[in-house]
Amino acid sequence: NEVPVIDLTSGDSGEIARTLRNTCGTGFFYVAGHGVPQSLVDSTFDANRHFFSLPVEKKQKLRADKAKRGWTPHGGEWLDPSKQKQGDTKEGFYVGRDYGSSLPDAAKPIHKANQWPDEQLVPGFRDTLEQYMEAMHILGNRLLSLIAVSLDIDADSFATPFLFLRPIRYLDTPSSPAEGVFAAGAHTDFGMLTILASDEVPGLQIFTPGNGWASVPPKRGCFVINLGDMMERWSDGIYQSTLHRVVNTTGQERYSIACFF
């Protein structure tokens, strides 16, 4: 079955919410007409490529801390340890809302300041990612409002969510599911929803009963949306949190940007 496309310019909020509920029960869909400039998406990918091209010793200084802010190295995650023989063939970089010490939530777990590379090393990296994260915040709130309307609850029921942005570089290492080698092992996301941008290289796959594993190819101008465990529970199963993974079938590097709500 093809992953549906939801165009946010296709009608009023009620019409779009009904389409969501009728076609997106599996929890995966593309969103078009989202209003995020393609130039911002492209410049964010350029900034991420620049950052990931830094020598390992430079990135190591930004190793993710207890607040989950910073760089995560190749092989550092095992998303499906029961089937993997080695860690995911990817590296990433976590940023979230930057909580200064004066903010009320600053003392809460993972509510900390971000780590950033020196501006001279990656000029414009911080500014570009912060602009992108703000665009994701606006889009994510819009999607959560539509989902709330589709569930016949107040549109602001999911307002002011916590969010993390994670640029990811997948290595050119070919995957081999039979040998336990994955770009990202099979998993579901534990939050409400994830907004995913990817370059032109395929790799994302979803699992649905009766169909098995199927590719979700990139569509320029669209984001892939997947709903998480929290949304499945809060919607009483109306929306599902679908198992997904990344499999490198091309032998090419792949870049993506995930925003977790």
Side-chain angles (χ1 to χ4, degrees):
N1 294 334
E2 289 191 4
V3 175
V5 179
I6 301 297
D7 187 342
L8 298 184
T9 65
S10 63
D12 62 30
S13 59
E15 291 171 326
I16 298 171
R18 285 191 292 274
T19 302
L20 268 172
R21 181 155 178 169
N22 291 335
T23 64
C24 301
T26 59
F28 261 85
F29 56 94
Y30 297 99
V31 64
H34 44 70
V36 179
Q38 187 63 45
S39 58
L40 176 59
V41 178
D42 292 343
S43 63
T44 306
F45 272 107
D46 288 342
N48 294 339
R49 291 186 181 95
H50 191 174
F51 170 76
F52 287 122
S53 71
L54 293 176
V56 170
E57 58 268 21
K58 299 290 186 183
K59 293 180 285 190
Q60 186 68 34
K61 295 178 181 179
L62 300 167
R63 189 73 177 260
D65 55 21
K66 291 182 179 179
K68 305 299 182 184
R69 313 285 179 117
W71 177 67
T72 55
H74 160 237
E77 289 185 327
W78 298 62
L79 290 176
D80 190 10
S82 66
K83 291 184 172 63
Q84 289 183 246
K85 296 295 191 294
Q86 64 180 58
D88 296 346
T89 58
K90 70 177 191 297
E91 59 178 319
F93 187 77
Y94 276 114
V95 296
R97 184 182 175 192
D98 215 333
Y99 285 83
S101 59
S102 62
L103 293 179
D105 289 337
K108 293 181 179 179
I110 72 174
H111 288 58
K112 304 295 182 184
N114 291 316
Q115 300 190 77
W116 296 104
D118 189 285
E119 177 67 15
Q120 294 180 335
L121 280 177
V122 193
F125 181 72
R126 176 174 182 171
D127 181 63
T128 301
L129 262 64
E130 287 181 337
Q131 288 184 52
Y132 187 87
M133 188 158 53
E134 179 58 26
M136 293 300 98
H137 183 252
I138 293 169
L139 176 58
N141 277 329
R142 186 177 180 190
L143 292 169
L144 289 170
S145 176
L146 288 168
I147 292 170
V149 171
S150 79
L151 295 171
D152 299 318
I153 59 178
D154 290 342
D156 62 353
S157 296
F158 304 129
T160 62
F162 191 83
L163 68 90
F164 263 113
L165 187 70
R166 192 186 191 199
I168 301 171
R169 170 185 172 251
Y170 295 94
L171 277 62
D172 57 9
T173 306
S175 298
S176 176
E179 297 176 357
V181 180
F182 297 89
H187 64 287
T188 59
D189 292 354
F190 57 78
M192 290 192 292
L193 67 77
T194 302
I195 304 173
L196 180 71
S198 65
D199 64 13
E200 70 282 358
V201 180
L204 177 63
Q205 299 179 347
I206 62 173
F207 183 88
T208 53
N211 295 310
W213 289 105
S215 177
V216 182
K219 289 182 183 288
R220 185 168 174 82
C222 294
F223 294 105
V224 174
I225 310 298
N226 70 279
L227 305 182
D229 302 343
M230 188 182 296
M231 186 59 72
E232 179 174 318
R233 174 168 290 192
W234 284 353
S235 70
D236 199 22
I238 292 173
Y239 292 111
Q240 298 174 29
S241 179
T242 295
L243 195 68
H244 55 284
R245 67 186 187 183
V246 178
V247 175
N248 185 331
T249 60
T250 66
Q252 296 176 267
E253 285 189 337
R254 178 177 181 268
Y255 291 84
S256 69
I257 310 167
C259 189
F260 302 101
F261 286 80

